[in-house]
Amino acid sequence: MKLSFSAADEQFRIEVATWLEENLVGEFAQLRYRGGPGDEHMFPEERKRWEQKLAEGGWTCVGWPKEHGGRGCSIEQQVIFHEEYARAGAPGHVGHIGEGLAGPTIIAFGSAAQQAKYLPGIVAGKELWCQGYSEPGAGSDLANVKTKAHFDEQKQQWVINGQKVWTSLAHESDYCFVIARTDPDSVAHKGLGFFLVKMDQPGVEVRGIEQLTGTSEFNEVFFDDAVCAADDIVGEPGQGWAVAMGLLGFERGVSTLGQQMQFQNELNQVITLAKENGAASDPVIRQRIAEAHAGLKIMRYNSMRTLSGADDGSLQKEALMYKLFWATWHRDLGELAMDVMGPEAEMLDGGPYELSRLQSMYLFVRSDTIYGGTNEIQRNIIAERGLGMPREPRVTIKPQ
C-alpha cells in the first residue's frame, strides 16, 4: 500500500481544489457542509443539481474505469479527491449509493446490457439508487431475508413481493437493488437473487420513518407484485448471495472514502466549537479530540489498504472490521460533541423541534451501531470469517 503522493497526484489535487473553488458558488454555496447521514433532508433538489454539476465537470464516479464512464482515478487520486471535497465543504453526495455500491457491483457482476442500461444515468448524476437489503425480520442478518421473487413465464418478467426497511433515500430514488428469494424453499444464503428494480411503478410503496431527529431519510419499502425485466437480475437465480457480498465489499471499500469526508467535516465543527467556547482548555476534552483525530486516520489508512487489494468487491479480512470501527467512532464523536457544547447541548434555539447540526448528529449516530449490521453481528463476522473461530449456534427460520 502506498502512503505518499507523487508530483502528478499533487497536480491532480490542485485540479480538484480549483474546480471546487470555481463551481461551489452561487446557488450551490448554501450546500457547503450540508447533506449526509442525519442531514439528508436538507436541500435535496439543490443537491441533485449539484450532482449533475459534478458530472458536467467529470467528477462523478472518479474511481470507475473510463470504459464505463468514470475518470479511471488511481486509489491515491480517489483519496485526494475526497480529501479536497471535504476541505471545500462540498455537500454529501445524494447519489452515493448508485456511485459507490450499485455501479461498481453492476460493473463487476452485471451483463454488458445491464452496464449499458444503468451506468450512464449514475455517471450523469441523474438516476439515484437505494439499497433493498434490510427487512423487519432480517435487519442485520441478510441470510434471513423473506422477500420473494418468482419468474412469470407468461409475461417474461420477475414478480417481487415483500418488505424492506431502513431504506435510505428510497423516497428520492429511481432504482433499488433488491435481495429476494428465487427459491421459496431455500434457507439462509442459498436460493437468493439480486434484482434491479424501478421504484416508480405500481406495486412499490415508500413510507417514511420519522426518526429521533424529526426527519425521515429512512423508509419502509413495500413490494406488492412489483416487477422487473427478465434480464434485470444480476448473476444467476439462486446465486444472489455472492453478488450481495461483493457489493458489501464495495461498501467497505471505495464508498468509505466519501463517508470519511463527512466525518472529517463533523470533527472539524466540534474542534471549532471547542476553541470558541473554551472547552478545548479541558485536558480531557483535548484528549478525546486527539483520539477522534487518530481514529479517523486509522479509518483512512485501513480504507487505502482495503482498496489496494482485489477490485472485484471481494471482502478482505481487513474490511471486516470497518463497520464496527466507524460506527463506534461516530457514536463517540456524537457524545464528544455534546460534552463540548456543555449545558447548551440540551437546549433548543427555537420551537417546536429545531436542532442544531451537532444536536442532530448526536441523536442520529445512535443508529449507526444498529443499521447495516449491529455491532454484535459485526463482532461475529470478524470472529468467524476473519479469525476462523467456531460459529455461534444459530436458529435458521424457514420462510413461510
Side-chain angles (χ1 to χ4, degrees), residues 20 22 60 70 74 125 174 248 279 297 314:
L20 288 168
E22 293 176 348
T60 56
S74 65
D174 302 286
L248 290 179
K297 294 302 179 187
S314 58

Side-chain angles (χ1 to χ4, degrees), residues 5 9-10 12-14 16-18 20-21 24 32-33 76 78-91 257-258 260-266 268 293 296-297 300:
F5 300 111
D9 288 338
E10 293 301 336
F12 176 78
R13 182 187 298 280
I14 294 174
V16 176
T18 301
L20 288 168
E21 182 180 356
L24 194 55
R32 289 180 183 271
Y33 302 106
E76 292 77 13
Q78 292 178 61
V79 172
I80 287 172
F81 172 79
H82 288 292
E83 285 181 342
E84 293 306 312
Y85 197 91
R87 202 186 316 278
L257 298 175
Q260 290 164 32
M261 166 199 76
Q262 176 72 18
F263 291 168
Q264 183 66 65
N265 286 339
E266 291 172 343
N268 291 344
H293 173 77
L296 196 53
K297 294 302 179 187
R300 179 196 186 213

Side-chain angles (χ1 to χ4, degrees), residues 275-328:
K275 292 178 178 177
E276 291 176 349
N277 70 4
S281 63
D282 183 334
V284 176
I285 292 292
R286 289 203 304 273
Q287 174 71 22
R288 291 169 64 187
I289 289 175
E291 290 172 352
H293 173 77
L296 196 53
K297 294 302 179 187
I298 290 171
M299 274 187 255
R300 179 196 186 213
Y301 289 120
N302 192 55
S303 296
M304 292 179 70
R305 179 169 57 172
T306 301
L307 288 167
S308 299
D311 59 0
D312 61 355
S314 58
L315 286 175
Q316 301 176 73
K317 290 183 178 180
E318 294 86 351
L320 298 176
M321 70 181 85
Y322 185 72
K323 172 59 172 58
L324 176 64
F325 190 92
W326 76 253
T328 305

